[in-house]
Amino acid sequence: DAWRAARVVKAEGEQTRLELDDGSSLQMATAEAQKLDLCGVSMNLDMENLVDLDAFSEGSILHHVRKRYYQDKIYTYVGSILVAVNPFQRIDIYGSSVVKHYKNSVNSSEPPAPHVYALSADAYDHMVSGQGNQSVLISGESGAGKTETAKKVLNYLMEVAGSPGSGKKTIADQIMESNPVLESFGNAKTLRNDNSSRFGKWMEVNFNSRNKISGCRIVNYLLEKSRVTQQTPMERNYHVFYMLLAGADPALRSKLHLASPDEFAFLNKSGCTMVKSWDDEEEWAAMNEAFKTLQFSKEEVEDIYSILAAILHLGNVEFEAPDGNTDASKVSNDSAVKSLAKVSAILKVKAGDVEASMVQKLSQMKGRASVIAVKLTVAAAMSMRDALAKALYGRMFDWLVVRVNDTLNSASDNDSRHVGVLDIFGFEVFAHNSFEQLCINYANEKLQWHFNDFIFNEEMKMYKSEGVPCESMTFKDNQECLAMIEATGRNNGEGVGLLKLIDEQNNLGTSGTDAKFAAAANQNHGKDSKTPNAYFEKNKTNPAMFSVGHFAGPVEYDIAGFVEKNADSTSESLEGMARTSEIKLVQKLFERPPTEGPSATGPRGTPRGGDKGRKTANKAKTIGSQFQNQLTSLMTSLKSTMPHFIRCVKANHEKVPHKFDGKLCLDQLKYAGLFEAIRIRKAGYSYRIPHDGFARRFAITGNNQLLKLYIHKKMKPMDVCRRILENATEQGVIARKNWEVGKSRVFLKGASDKADMEEFRESKCHDMASKIASVLRMFMVRKKVFKEKFERKAREAKIRMQNEKNGAAAIICQTAFRGHFIRKRSRDLKLIVQLKISMRSQDEEKIKDAIVAFEGRRISSMAENVLYEAKKFLMEMKERQKILYDIKVALETEQLGDLQDLVERAEMLGMGNETAVVDAFLMVSRIQEKRNVHRKLLDFLEDDSQHSESIQELVDSARDLGIAERFLTKVEVAYKEVAPKLQVRQMLRSGVEEVNYNKIKEGLEQAEIMTKQMSEEYDQGLRSKAYKDFCIVEKAAARRVMKMLLLEADLTKRSMDDLMLDLKTDDDDEEEGIIISEEGSRLTTEKVKLCESIANAETPILKEDAREELMRECGSRREFDETVRSYKWGKIFASWKYDSDNPAKQPDEDESFFGLHPADAYERSIVNQNAIIVQLGGGRTEEEKKQDDEREVDLRRGLKPTQKSSASLMQTPTKKRYYGAGDTLVVPTRKTEKQIRKEKLDMGMGGSRNVTGYEMRSSSRVGMSGDMKKMLKSRQRVMKKKMG
């Protein structure tokens, strides 16, 4: 950016640190910082008119324009100048409603916001109010929005002054419709703008006596004709060529031999034929509609299209040297010949005449009257072709403007007032500047002179209206620069102007050159000339370059082509050929001016002297002279109007919204001459501050009396300002010549004066702040002391008063509360008693009434609890009633599921004593029992092995429960069939449980007989598999017990008869068909109870007592050991009794003792006898298998493992060792020899024995008595007798 707003953060020594408006920091030298302009207090305000800035500079203006642009406020005033920044987007700030708003706000007390409508309204109002003709001058570079701004001005005038239409187009409509026509022919796409105006335009909108639009006159300036034949890369020719090719209908395309733009040389060389923002077909339709509105005839429109097509085809005509003759030329090839034929056909001219006019020119020999044809080179022929194309287009454009004026001025009064709108090219500076830029910048210099003169006069008017002396104020204008360009050289001390010097070179004919012009310019305006001009500077290194110091900055021009571009002459041979065209418009474009009569012509209508004579006869007809005359006429018109200035600014080159290029915009503001207004203003008093603002800010610099007078408005602000400045002058802060007090504002000469006043104010503020601080501190101390004293007394008084009030109030409150409490409590107690009585009597209606009495009033917590209990009791009563009713219904329907749920709910509510509940409970129990018994009987009928032991009890229960007798008879029949089997199974079970060898043997014999019988029935299909497997578990257990008894007999070297001697014999206990013997039972019921007492004892003392009782029951140590072993065998093998979870557990397939050898199983049953239960089964580890094998070998050799001491039976186990899955062996704690002998002595057993080995000592002490031997032999005889 060129300028940025900044704030001084720190200034120490030679460096100053600044903070920019975007938050970034900048370090710079203090000396450089002091040279910068002050921003002023208005920097952070939203200023609509920048003339009100207290600091007027380039940077401040650029800052406010940028800030408003980013707020989508594209218009800003600088005095009476309107700055319009192109937003490159649509902004909703236009339309009929906005026009009406600005029309009504013209004479309002508040100035309207900056807007093009506001400026237009001001111009129109001045004209209507009789202040003469008005003009709106719009300038800016290409792409800044000049054309659009001019349309907005015209749009406002059409809205407020257009005559209402009556179904046909009005003059206002025709004026607006002239824009599409002129834009199509005069606008083109450039690098900077897609719709750039390539000509200047002055429009005088005329108004009648009723202030309504009556007509319009348009004047065009300096059309860029060179664009017709060549364009800069990525630019386009004039829009109308592309519109013709895109929008023409098939008939017109065929007639004019039209094709695509890529096929025409005048269009395809720039590389750009399409523009996104310009729709050629749509604009073609708008242009044709505008032709109709402007009353163009059909013939005129067709002639225009013919000329455009002829120009396009001319571009495709190429030339070459015939037969190597470089001094001559001809049409080069067939394509060029065809294009030439199309030109001839479209223009309706002979093809030979068209070619002849371009390849030769007519010349008259010196001293002769005859005219000869001189052949032209290829380059000259190409120039003639381009000259014809430019002449056709340029003259057609001039005719088009005249033709539009004929329509727009048809009803205009000669003495009508007008508002002029000037849309002209802005100041141009390129890398390469030529004759066109000189003319454009010359026009801008003229307009700037007019602008400066207007601004200076405005300043003088303002100073005079404020009463400020201004006689000594002057400013340096650009009159000297204008004289260098346009002077005629007739005045003394004045050189010949640049335009005049170029015309002189054109008057010399072919001898005039660009180099001679450069020499003449330096001779007239250079430093070494007689009339040097400070605005002219010759390039020291390149004589073909010179520089002009324009108001916006120096511009360097290249003189190449100046003379040729200024000539604007067309060969007489081309004009003569054009006059032979049968198209009326072409004839009109090339008709001779009235000054060229027959006397001035030679043979065949050519001027005497040929083309040379033509140039001599029209010396003044050059581009420069024509443009100078047009500008003179324009300035005459402008001087007769009151000007209004609009400076259009292009925000950025990329044409994108919300991007502000500060450097670019600053240059445009300079080129627009805006900062000339700053220079003019700084020539006087640059800082202007309203009286009230100045007094409010600087009144503190005066004495206290002055400040009081201002604050209380007892002195006018103007007098306050004068007193302030006089006081500052007396103290040497500001010189008297550097300030004035006007009628409405204070004027300061420069930034330094403003800074001095600010510094003076700062020092005064510091002094006053010190005084205020001291007074404030004193006041705060006094306030604190008095406040504490007052607050203390107030607190004491308040406490006394409050205590008195509290005492009296407490008595009153207590009295009222006690009475209220007693009354309320008595009412609550009555209700509570009533409610409890009702609950006790279970009177539902009274309970409800009591509850209602409590509602709607405040009650005590006790009453709340009683009320809650009552509501709960009421709900329970309802629920009890419902349950009783449901039970009654369920009893009638005998719904077991409902009865069960209802009985459970009734028990939860404490209704178990209710008759209905008891009946329901009994019925549920009876039904459940009946179903259970019935289910068991059905199971027995399906499988007589189930519930067979309790069939008789089940049948008795079934009769009591009312089960059908027929069903029970069937069960009894089935039971009679299975009774023998049950008796055999019971015999086996009791034999195993009692370890009774006789019962086991007898049961096995009978079981085998029944099994054989049932197997035959199973094979015949009469029985199920359950009968085939009859007593399989019991038989397996019986065989194992028998094996254990036989093994014991073998190990103890005793026969079975010896083992049974001590058992009683009862030969009379027999039943029919089956022998049941009670002899030989090792385990009686009493012994089993004692063994279980030992196993379940919780303390060593209890265990010792149970052991001694079992010892007494047995009578001997041997019987004691046999009893313990038998108890273990019953625990192991009687699975139906001790394994209730799996009573039908199948035996091992190999009839082994659960994976153990029988000898090993016996050993495990007699070792560690303090553990009653030893679990057998499962696999063994390798070490265990090895140990078992060794023991089996020892047994086969006759070695017997030593029995453990019976004393160890009562020891407490401390450790377990596992023999695989499910195998557990309880290992006792090792005892010393002394402990073992003591235990034996306690039991009456003498001697010693090895408790750790496997040897067994025979001793008479452990032998059987004589009575025991007799009893054993008796039982053996009984067993032999029973076994046959």
Side-chain angles (χ1 to χ4, degrees):
D1 285 332
W3 291 98
R4 296 294 297 273
R7 180 174 63 89
V8 178
V9 177
K10 190 175 183 180
E12 293 182 355
E14 298 180 356
Q15 292 294 321
T16 298
R17 185 159 63 89
L18 306 176
E19 181 183 350
L20 300 181
D21 54 2
D22 61 357
S24 58
S25 298
L26 178 66
Q27 195 84 8
M28 67 185 309
T30 302
E32 294 295 326
Q34 291 176 349
K35 296 178 181 179
L36 300 176
D37 293 325
L38 292 176
C39 295
V41 296
S42 60
M43 180 54 60
N44 296 322
L45 303 178
D46 184 14
M47 306 295 292
E48 293 183 342
N49 194 334
L50 303 187
V51 78
D52 296 328
L53 294 174
D54 52 357
F56 205 68
S57 62
E58 288 184 6
S60 60
I61 289 179
L62 184 66
H63 170 75
H64 284 281
V65 172
R66 179 197 295 113
K67 182 170 68 173
R68 289 178 61 80
Y69 169 79
Y70 283 124
Q71 298 172 355
D72 286 338
K73 299 176 181 179
I74 61 174
Y75 296 111
T76 307
Y77 277 127
V78 182
S80 59
I81 308 164
L82 180 67
V83 177
V85 184
N86 192 343
F88 295 111
Q89 62 175 334
R90 296 288 181 185
I91 302 178
D92 189 18
I93 56 174
Y94 306 103
S96 300
S97 59
V98 183
V99 169
K100 185 177 180 180
H101 166 73
Y102 280 98
K103 178 184 177 182
N104 297 332
S105 62
V106 171
N107 296 318
S108 63
S109 57
E110 289 292 330
H115 199 285
V116 64
Y117 288 167
L119 186 138
S120 304
D122 190 48
Y124 178 74
D125 184 68
H126 279 72
M127 183 205 70
V128 171
S129 60
Q131 298 185 36
N133 296 328
Q134 307 292 311
S135 60
V136 179
L137 281 66
I138 306 171
S139 63
E141 74 165 46
S142 178
K146 301 186 299 296
T147 303
E148 290 299 320
T149 302
K151 288 181 184 178
K152 300 302 179 187
V153 175
L154 295 174
N155 181 63
Y156 178 86
L157 297 176
M158 301 305 119
E159 287 279 348
V160 301
S163 300
S166 59
K168 63 178 183 179
K169 299 291 185 179
T170 64
I171 185 64
D173 297 327
Q174 291 175 337
I175 294 174
M176 295 305 296
E177 289 293 336
S178 67
N179 285 317
V181 174
L182 296 181
E183 284 187 21
S184 300
F185 285 85
N187 289 22
K189 190 267 181 187
T190 64
L191 294 176
R192 297 185 176 184
N193 188 7
D194 291 343
N195 187 29
S196 176
S197 298
R198 308 315 299 164
F199 71 104
K201 178 174 62 177
W202 165 254
M203 299 181 68
E204 289 183 357
V205 182
N206 300 318
F207 296 84
N208 57 25
S209 58
R210 293 181 291 108
N211 299 322
K212 297 296 181 181
I213 296 174
S214 60
C216 180
R217 182 175 71 92
I218 302 174
V219 180
N220 63 299
Y221 301 99
L222 200 63
L223 177 71
E224 186 184 10
K225 291 184 288 185
S226 61
R227 182 171 292 272
V228 177
T229 59
Q230 59 183 2
Q231 305 91 36
T232 303
M234 298 312 296
E235 292 190 355
R236 289 209 315 176
N237 209 324
Y238 288 101
H239 291 319
V240 69
F241 290 112
Y242 306 93
M243 293 162 55
L244 173 65
L245 299 180
D249 55 38
L252 183 60
R253 294 177 71 87
S254 176
K255 176 184 176 181
L256 301 179
H257 308 287
L258 301 178
S260 66
D262 296 331
E263 298 184 18
F264 295 101
F266 284 166
L267 304 181
N268 61 13
K269 293 181 180 179
S270 67
C272 178
T273 58
M274 299 289 292
V275 181
K276 291 182 179 180
S277 60
W278 182 273
D279 191 328
D280 293 320
E281 293 187 18
E282 184 179 333
E283 296 297 334
W284 168 265
M287 183 185 69
N288 281 283
E289 187 64 27
F291 278 143
K292 295 178 183 179
T293 303
L294 294 170
Q295 302 174 2
F296 276 66
S297 66
K298 183 177 180 181
E299 182 182 2
E300 289 174 332
V301 174
E302 290 178 352
D303 290 349
I304 291 172
Y305 295 158
S306 298
I307 293 174
L308 293 174
I311 293 172
L312 291 177
H313 290 298
L314 266 177
N316 292 341
V317 177
E318 301 289 339
F319 299 93
E320 64 180 4
D323 301 328
N325 184 8
T326 58
D327 294 332
S329 59
K330 69 173 184 176
V331 178
S332 61
N333 50 39
D334 293 341
S335 177
V337 171
K338 291 180 181 179
S339 298
L340 183 63
K342 292 175 183 178
V343 173
S344 302
I346 294 172
L347 293 179
K348 298 181 180 180
V349 181
K350 294 180 180 180
D353 292 348
V354 177
E355 181 179 7
S357 66
M358 291 187 291
V359 300
Q360 63 183 12
K361 68 177 181 177
L362 301 178
S363 179
Q364 186 179 19
M365 300 296 293
K366 189 176 181 179
R368 299 181 183 181
S370 60
V371 177
I372 62 174
V374 180
K375 294 182 178 181
L376 300 177
T377 62
V378 172
M382 299 285 280
S383 299
M384 292 289 281
R385 178 202 65 186
D386 293 348
L388 177 59
K390 290 187 285 186
L392 282 170
Y393 194 83
R395 296 187 184 197
M396 180 184 64
F397 185 79
D398 292 339
W399 172 84
L400 195 65
V401 174
V402 173
R403 177 65 185 80
V404 171
N405 284 334
D406 291 342
T407 300
L408 300 183
N409 285 318
S410 59
S412 179
D413 299 333
N414 294 330
D415 58 346
S416 62
R417 296 161 299 163
H418 68 264
V419 174
V421 179
L422 179 64
D423 175 10
I424 198 166
F425 19 70
F427 188 82
E428 291 187 351
V429 182
F430 301 123
H432 178 268
N433 302 288
S434 187
F435 179 74
E436 293 85 356
Q437 278 69 47
L438 179 64
C439 293
I440 290 172
N441 293 340
Y442 165 52
N444 279 275
E445 284 286 352
K446 292 285 285 186
L447 294 174
Q448 185 62 33
W449 177 84
H450 180 66
F451 172 77
N452 290 347
D453 183 63
F454 173 77
I455 294 298
F456 183 73
N457 290 332
E458 285 290 309
E459 284 285 299
M460 295 300 103
K461 289 180 183 178
M462 190 268 294
Y463 286 140
K464 289 179 182 178
S465 65
E466 290 285 340
V468 176
C470 57
E471 291 78 7
S472 60
M473 298 180 189
T474 60
F475 79 98
K476 187 178 181 181
D477 59 15
N478 60 341
Q479 191 62 46
E480 188 177 353
C481 181
L482 285 173
M484 179 189 66
I485 298 174
E486 64 181 6
T488 59
R490 297 174 182 174
N491 299 328
N492 294 329
E494 182 181 67
V496 181
L498 297 177
L499 295 179
K500 184 68 174 177
L501 293 175
I502 300 173
D503 288 345
E504 289 178 357
Q505 296 301 315
N506 289 110
N507 293 336
L508 294 176
T510 56
S511 60
T513 63
D514 295 331
K516 290 181 180 179
F517 159 69
N522 187 49
Q523 183 178 357
N524 278 271
H525 305 290
K527 294 181 180 179
D528 300 331
S529 66
K530 294 181 181 179
T531 55
N533 194 303
Y535 293 89
F536 180 87
E537 184 177 356
K538 179 182 178 182
N539 192 306
K540 297 179 181 180
T541 59
N542 188 355
M545 305 284 288
F546 68 91
S547 177
V548 175
H550 292 287
F551 70 94
V555 180
E556 195 168 41
Y557 297 96
D558 185 354
I559 65 173
F562 265 45
V563 176
E564 180 183 357
K565 293 178 180 179
N566 185 54
D568 192 35
S569 59
T570 308
S571 170
E572 179 58 27
S573 57
L574 292 176
E575 293 190 4
M577 178 274 297
R579 292 190 194 102
T580 63
S581 173
E582 297 179 9
I583 298 177
K584 293 182 180 180
L585 180 56
V586 177
Q587 294 175 5
K588 185 180 293 186
L589 296 180
F590 288 91
E591 64 183 0
R592 286 193 179 92
T595 57
E596 296 185 15
S599 60
T601 61
R604 293 180 287 183
T606 60
R608 297 186 182 277
D611 290 339
K612 182 177 179 180
R614 169 71 174 160
K615 292 178 181 178
T616 305
N618 298 283
K619 290 183 179 180
K621 193 177 180 182
T622 61
I623 295 292
S625 59
Q626 291 178 34
F627 188 60
Q628 187 173 0
N629 293 336
Q630 287 178 327
L631 280 180
T632 301
S633 175
L634 174 64
M635 297 308 298
T636 301
S637 300
L638 291 178
K639 288 180 180 179
S640 64
T641 64
M642 180 179 181
H644 304 267
F645 298 96
I646 301 178
R647 296 299 190 243
C648 296
V649 177
K650 185 176 182 180
N652 56 78
H653 284 308
E654 293 80 7
K655 295 177 281 189
V656 295
H658 291 291
K659 181 180 179 182
F660 191 89
D661 189 334
K663 181 67 170 62
L664 174 65
C665 295
L666 179 63
D667 291 341
Q668 293 177 80
L669 293 175
K670 287 181 179 178
Y671 300 158
L674 196 63
F675 294 117
E676 287 296 305
I678 298 176
R679 190 169 60 83
I680 293 172
R681 182 168 182 174
K682 285 187 174 181
Y685 297 94
S686 58
Y687 285 85
R688 297 99 183 266
I689 308 172
H691 288 157
D692 189 62
F694 187 85
R696 183 168 59 252
R697 184 161 184 81
F698 294 104
I700 195 173
T701 61
N703 53 35
N704 295 336
Q705 187 65 25
L706 179 63
L707 186 60
K708 291 178 182 179
L709 291 173
Y710 170 70
I711 293 175
H712 297 292
K713 298 182 179 180
K714 294 183 179 181
M715 181 182 289
K716 294 181 179 180
M718 183 176 69
D719 297 333
V720 174
C721 294
R722 189 179 300 278
R723 291 275 297 274
I724 291 170
L725 289 170
E726 288 174 352
N727 179 54
T729 302
E730 291 175 1
Q731 299 191 32
V733 176
I734 184 172
R736 178 61 188 84
K737 63 179 181 178
N738 291 343
W739 62 268
E740 289 289 344
V741 179
K743 295 179 180 179
S744 64
R745 63 191 69 192
V746 173
F747 295 83
L748 300 180
K749 192 70 176 176
S752 60
D753 301 317
K754 176 70 164 46
D756 293 340
M757 288 299 297
E758 289 290 344
E759 186 177 354
F760 183 43
R761 175 182 178 275
E762 190 71 22
S763 63
K764 288 289 185 178
C765 287
H766 185 271
D767 296 341
M768 189 166 290
S770 300
K771 293 180 180 179
I772 292 173
S774 62
V775 173
L776 181 61
R777 283 193 294 269
M778 179 188 66
F779 172 76
M780 291 176 67
V781 171
R782 290 181 177 180
K783 180 180 178 182
K784 183 178 180 181
V785 172
F786 286 111
K787 182 179 180 181
E788 290 177 353
K789 184 177 180 181
F790 174 79
E791 288 178 350
R792 186 178 66 256
K793 292 183 178 180
R795 282 196 302 271
E796 293 174 355
K798 186 176 181 180
I799 290 170
R800 286 195 301 272
M801 186 181 295
Q802 191 65 35
N803 290 337
E804 294 175 358
K805 289 182 178 180
N806 291 344
I811 295 172
I812 296 173
C813 291
Q814 287 177 0
T815 304
F817 176 75
R818 287 169 181 166
H820 171 75
F821 179 76
I822 292 172
R823 288 191 296 273
K824 180 181 177 182
R825 187 172 180 82
S826 63
R827 288 196 300 269
D828 290 349
L829 287 174
K830 289 180 181 180
L831 291 175
I832 290 170
V833 171
Q834 181 183 349
L835 189 58
K836 287 187 175 181
I837 293 172
S838 301
M839 290 169 61
R840 193 177 298 114
S841 62
Q842 297 187 1
D843 190 336
E844 184 177 355
E845 294 299 328
K846 290 183 177 181
I847 293 173
K848 289 182 179 179
D849 294 339
I851 291 173
V852 171
F854 272 111
E855 292 179 352
R857 51 176 295 190
R858 295 182 62 182
I859 58 178
S860 63
S861 59
M862 181 179 65
E864 286 181 355
N865 296 333
V866 176
L867 185 62
Y868 172 76
E869 292 176 359
K871 291 180 179 179
K872 183 178 178 182
F873 181 78
L874 189 61
M875 292 175 63
E876 289 178 354
M877 284 182 62
K878 293 180 179 179
E879 188 173 2
R880 287 191 185 95
Q881 294 172 3
K882 187 176 184 306
I883 289 173
L884 292 174
Y885 176 77
D886 293 341
I887 287 174
K888 183 178 180 182
V889 174
L891 285 172
E892 294 175 358
T893 59
E894 293 189 358
Q895 295 292 331
L896 178 62
D898 295 343
L899 282 173
Q900 287 177 333
D901 294 340
L902 292 171
V903 168
E904 290 178 0
R905 290 170 56 191
E907 289 178 351
M908 290 175 62
L909 293 175
M911 299 170 60
N913 296 328
E914 295 285 344
T915 304
V917 176
V918 173
D919 293 342
F921 179 78
L922 293 175
M923 177 173 282
V924 169
S925 301
R926 184 178 181 82
I927 293 173
Q928 288 179 343
E929 185 179 0
K930 184 176 180 180
R931 289 181 179 179
N932 189 27
V933 170
H934 189 266
R935 184 177 64 253
K936 289 182 179 181
L937 292 176
L938 286 175
D939 292 343
F940 171 73
L941 289 177
E942 292 177 1
D943 183 3
D944 56 19
S945 64
Q946 298 187 37
H947 315 294
S948 57
E949 301 87 347
S950 57
I951 289 299
Q952 193 59 48
E953 292 82 358
L954 291 174
V955 170
D956 295 340
S957 299
R959 282 197 175 89
D960 295 339
L961 295 171
I963 296 178
E965 188 65 31
R966 183 178 179 184
F967 174 75
L968 297 177
T969 302
K970 185 177 180 180
V971 173
E972 288 178 342
V973 172
Y975 179 71
K976 287 180 180 180
E977 292 180 3
V978 79
K981 294 186 293 182
L982 297 178
Q983 290 178 2
V984 172
R985 184 174 65 184
Q986 183 61 33
M987 182 183 295
L988 289 173
R989 288 186 176 181
S990 62
V992 173
E993 292 172 3
E994 298 172 4
V995 191
N996 191 319
Y997 179 82
N998 297 328
K999 285 186 179 181
I1000 292 173
K1001 184 177 180 182
E1002 184 179 357
L1004 286 174
E1005 291 174 355
Q1006 295 183 18
E1008 288 299 328
I1009 295 171
M1010 289 185 178
T1011 300
K1012 182 177 180 182
Q1013 180 183 353
M1014 285 186 285
S1015 297
E1016 292 174 357
E1017 293 176 357
Y1018 170 76
D1019 295 338
Q1020 295 174 5
L1022 301 177
R1023 296 291 184 179
S1024 62
K1025 188 176 184 302
Y1027 287 90
K1028 183 180 179 181
D1029 296 335
F1030 171 70
C1031 289
I1032 188 171
V1033 176
E1034 289 80 358
K1035 289 189 289 184
R1039 290 190 187 99
R1040 288 173 177 170
V1041 171
M1042 285 184 68
K1043 287 183 181 181
M1044 296 303 292
L1045 289 172
L1046 293 173
L1047 180 63
E1048 183 181 22
D1050 183 48
L1051 292 176
T1052 58
K1053 300 301 182 178
R1054 297 161 64 194
S1055 65
M1056 289 302 301
D1057 292 338
D1058 294 335
L1059 292 176
M1060 300 299 156
L1061 286 178
D1062 57 339
L1063 301 180
K1064 294 181 181 181
T1065 302
D1066 188 3
D1067 297 333
D1068 299 330
D1069 191 7
E1070 294 182 359
E1071 293 186 5
E1072 183 179 357
I1074 301 175
I1075 299 176
I1076 301 176
S1077 176
E1078 296 295 334
E1079 299 176 350
S1081 296
R1082 280 193 174 181
L1083 294 178
T1084 62
T1085 304
E1086 185 64 27
K1087 289 182 179 180
V1088 172
K1089 290 182 179 179
L1090 292 174
C1091 288
E1092 289 179 351
S1093 299
I1094 297 172
N1096 298 328
E1098 296 179 356
T1099 63
I1101 297 174
L1102 294 177
K1103 182 172 290 189
E1104 181 66 22
D1105 293 342
R1107 183 189 63 76
E1108 291 178 355
E1109 189 174 356
L1110 178 60
M1111 194 68 182
R1112 286 193 297 270
E1113 178 69 21
C1114 292
S1116 68
R1117 178 63 189 181
R1118 185 182 66 185
E1119 188 175 351
F1120 176 85
D1121 292 340
E1122 289 175 354
T1123 300
V1124 172
R1125 283 199 299 272
S1126 300
Y1127 174 76
K1128 290 184 180 180
W1129 293 340
K1131 283 288 186 178
I1132 294 171
F1133 301 118
S1135 60
W1136 53 86
K1137 183 176 182 180
Y1138 298 104
D1139 191 3
S1140 58
D1141 294 336
N1142 188 14
K1145 184 170 63 175
Q1146 297 295 323
D1148 296 335
E1149 294 293 334
D1150 58 355
E1151 291 294 323
S1152 67
F1153 290 86
F1154 299 96
L1156 296 176
H1157 190 276
D1160 191 21
Y1162 176 82
E1163 178 188 356
R1164 291 195 182 188
S1165 68
I1166 63 175
V1167 81
N1168 303 323
Q1169 296 188 20
N1170 61 332
I1172 297 299
I1173 299 175
V1174 177
Q1175 297 180 7
L1176 303 177
R1180 295 174 293 169
T1181 62
E1182 294 297 329
E1183 184 179 356
E1184 291 172 348
K1185 290 180 180 180
K1186 184 178 179 181
Q1187 293 176 358
D1188 292 341
D1189 293 341
E1190 292 176 354
R1191 290 171 185 170
E1192 186 175 359
V1193 172
D1194 293 339
L1195 289 172
R1196 290 178 180 177
R1197 291 176 181 177
L1199 297 177
K1200 306 176 184 61
T1202 305
Q1203 286 188 344
K1204 299 299 179 181
S1205 171
S1206 60
S1208 64
L1209 180 65
M1210 302 302 166
Q1211 295 176 4
T1212 303
T1214 59
K1215 186 176 179 183
K1216 293 183 179 180
R1217 181 166 64 92
Y1218 295 93
Y1219 288 81
D1223 297 348
T1224 305
L1225 179 64
V1226 182
V1227 180
T1229 304
R1230 176 88 62 178
K1231 293 188 178 182
T1232 62
E1233 294 283 346
K1234 186 176 181 181
Q1235 290 175 331
I1236 294 173
R1237 284 197 301 270
K1238 184 177 183 301
E1239 290 177 357
K1240 287 185 177 183
L1241 290 174
D1242 292 338
M1243 292 188 296
M1245 300 172 63
S1248 62
R1249 48 193 319 185
N1250 188 357
V1251 297
T1252 60
Y1254 283 95
E1255 288 190 18
M1256 182 177 178
R1257 289 177 56 191
S1258 62
S1259 174
S1260 60
R1261 297 178 184 176
V1262 296
M1264 291 185 292
S1265 63
D1267 295 335
M1268 290 180 67
K1269 288 181 180 180
K1270 289 179 182 180
M1271 184 178 60
L1272 180 58
K1273 288 180 180 181
S1274 175
R1275 291 197 176 186
Q1276 285 177 350
R1277 284 193 299 270
V1278 173
M1279 291 297 296
K1280 288 179 181 180
K1281 182 180 180 181
K1282 289 182 179 181
M1283 294 176 64

